[in-house]
Amino acid sequence: MAEEIRPRFYGCYNCHNHIALHDDIVRKDFVAGNRRRAFLFSHVMNVKLGTSMDRRLITGVHLVADVHCSDCGTILGWRYEKAYDEAQKYKESKTVLEKYKIVKDNW
Ligand SMILES: [Zn+2]
């Protein structure tokens, strides 16, 4: 009998709403502007986006939107809407979640 493989989720640290799948992590070595660890995800779920605005980050100016938990409204990270630097284009439409704001669920 095949063993059931359950997806490994990350949840909101505040309300445990499922936000992202472990398999959707693109990079684990991200550092947020405040020098905290963060992960880059190709896809997230159950979130609401704030207003997009240009923000100067360590790697240059990007058009970004805050990512809020759809349940409790906590800001969990941000989404790259547009990168102006060619080398940063791979980040477009991907989401950064700060490590301390997400918790492992189901693994
Ligand atoms: Zn939440």
Side-chain angles (χ1 to χ4, degrees):
M1 205 174 108
E3 203 177 315
E4 188 191 358
I5 297 170
R6 303 183 65 188
R8 296 187 293 176
F9 284 101
Y10 281 105
C12 167
Y13 79 116
N14 186 42
C15 73
H16 290 223
N17 188 15
H18 284 171
I19 300 297
L21 285 167
H22 178 71
D23 287 347
D24 288 333
I25 292 180
V26 180
R27 285 183 57 179
K28 295 184 90 164
D29 59 347
F30 241 71
V31 180
N34 47 21
R35 300 198 174 275
R36 291 202 187 96
R37 292 281 308 280
F39 297 156
L40 183 68
F41 289 86
S42 60
H43 177 79
V44 293
M45 64 195 99
N46 301 319
V47 298
K48 286 185 295 196
L49 290 174
T51 309
S52 304
M53 60 185 82
D54 281 335
R55 202 174 288 173
R56 181 169 292 280
L57 305 169
I58 301 166
T59 48
V61 178
H62 300 71
L63 182 66
V64 301
D66 284 334
V67 169
H68 301 255
C69 171
S70 64
D71 258 16
C72 70
T74 302
I75 294 181
L76 301 172
W78 64 92
R79 174 185 153 103
Y80 291 101
E81 304 288 9
K82 188 172 167 59
Y84 298 104
D85 181 350
E86 210 54 45
Q88 308 297 327
K89 287 277 182 200
Y90 74 96
K91 294 178 185 168
E92 288 184 352
S93 77
K94 296 189 176 71
T95 300
V96 173
L97 299 177
E98 295 204 58
K99 197 180 174 208
Y100 81 103
K101 289 190 170 176
I102 52 177
V103 290
K104 291 174 180 178
D105 193 11
N106 199 19
W107 50 305

